[in-house]
Amino acid sequence: MKKHIAIFSLSALLVCLCFSGCGAREPERSAARLADYRPVFLEGSSGGVSAAVYSGVREDPYSLDGECGEKKDYAVVTLSGYDGGVDGVKAELKTDGASYGVELSPHPFDDDLSAELPVRLDDGITSATLVVGAEEITLTGGAPVYGAGYALTLAKETVYDRGEIVLRLTRSPLSDDGGRYWYVSFTEGDETSSVLINAESGEVAAVRDPRAD
């Protein structure tokens, strides 16, 4: 029995090492196909006001047509619950060693305010501060248990792996559980397959694969 347990433990360890070692380089190997790679997601709230910042690199101009072009660095700041009128709100995003002035404008599809910066925050960043008027909002988000390499590897094994790739760390679009998820999609022509993966448990939360219908 002890021998069987030892073999099982070794097998589990090898699987983990495969995902954390080989899988960790998957975004680098697939860089030419990555239309949007967004490994940074920080969020926080203060006084009823919520904010988030997303950052990475994406195709410019962004168009999921199956072929990836030139890319640019970007960071998107969003703000909700802040009464700033309709003309936009000035704010300051502070990170370790850098500060960026932003002007947040009303989002065209919801009540949030947002702004985009032509910078890429460090992939290892765990905190930032957004100063808006009298509010100082601390944004946090340490490295997820399951990283980008694991998510991309698992997604490639789950759905049809062809065309442009979108790989984003985000909050769940399916629930308000406050957890972070990896959204991974593959677009070829007019077909898109996607996988939603829990970044803390490593489990697949949702799959969309039109080729399987």
Side-chain angles (χ1 to χ4, degrees):
M1 176 63 74
K2 289 183 179 180
K3 183 178 180 181
H4 290 310
I5 292 174
I7 292 174
F8 176 79
S9 299
L10 178 60
S11 299
L13 177 61
L14 289 174
V15 170
C16 290
L17 287 175
C18 180
F19 276 124
S20 61
C22 301
R25 298 189 59 190
E26 193 58 42
E28 180 182 341
R29 284 195 288 261
S30 301
R33 295 171 54 198
L34 279 169
D36 188 0
Y37 177 42
R38 193 175 75 188
V40 173
F41 170 40
L42 309 175
E43 63 181 343
S45 61
S46 176
V49 180
S50 300
V53 60
Y54 307 85
S55 185
V57 59
R58 71 177 173 212
E59 184 182 22
D60 182 36
Y62 182 63
S63 175
L64 286 179
D65 55 8
E67 296 185 12
C68 214
E70 296 295 321
K71 299 170 187 175
K72 69 173 183 179
D73 295 340
Y74 76 96
V76 173
V77 181
T78 66
L79 186 68
S80 62
Y82 188 84
D83 185 12
V86 296
D87 297 327
V89 174
K90 292 185 182 298
E92 182 181 12
L93 178 66
K94 296 180 179 181
T95 65
D96 185 18
S99 178
Y100 308 95
V102 297
E103 184 162 349
L104 298 130
S105 302
H107 194 283
F109 306 119
D110 54 39
D111 296 330
D112 287 356
L113 298 168
S114 64
E116 183 170 323
L117 294 165
V119 298
R120 179 176 179 177
L121 303 182
D122 184 83
D123 289 5
I125 190 173
T126 59
S127 66
T129 301
L130 186 68
V131 181
V132 189
E135 293 290 345
E136 188 168 298
I137 306 170
T138 299
L139 310 175
T140 60
V145 175
Y146 292 87
Y150 171 90
L152 185 51
T153 300
L154 180 56
K156 284 184 173 184
E157 295 174 350
T158 304
V159 297
Y160 195 69
D161 169 27
R162 292 287 181 87
E164 281 184 291
I165 303 171
V166 170
L167 177 57
R168 298 171 177 160
L169 185 61
T170 185
R171 66 169 61 92
S172 172
L174 304 177
S175 66
D176 297 323
D177 63 0
R180 291 179 299 168
Y181 289 74
W182 287 104
Y183 170 79
V184 191
S185 71
F186 305 93
T187 299
E188 184 180 44
D190 59 356
E191 290 189 320
T192 297
S193 300
S194 61
V195 184
L196 190 67
I197 300 167
N198 189 310
E200 306 308 322
S201 70
E203 297 177 350
V204 172
V207 176
R208 178 182 180 277
D209 190 354
R211 296 172 179 85
D213 295 339

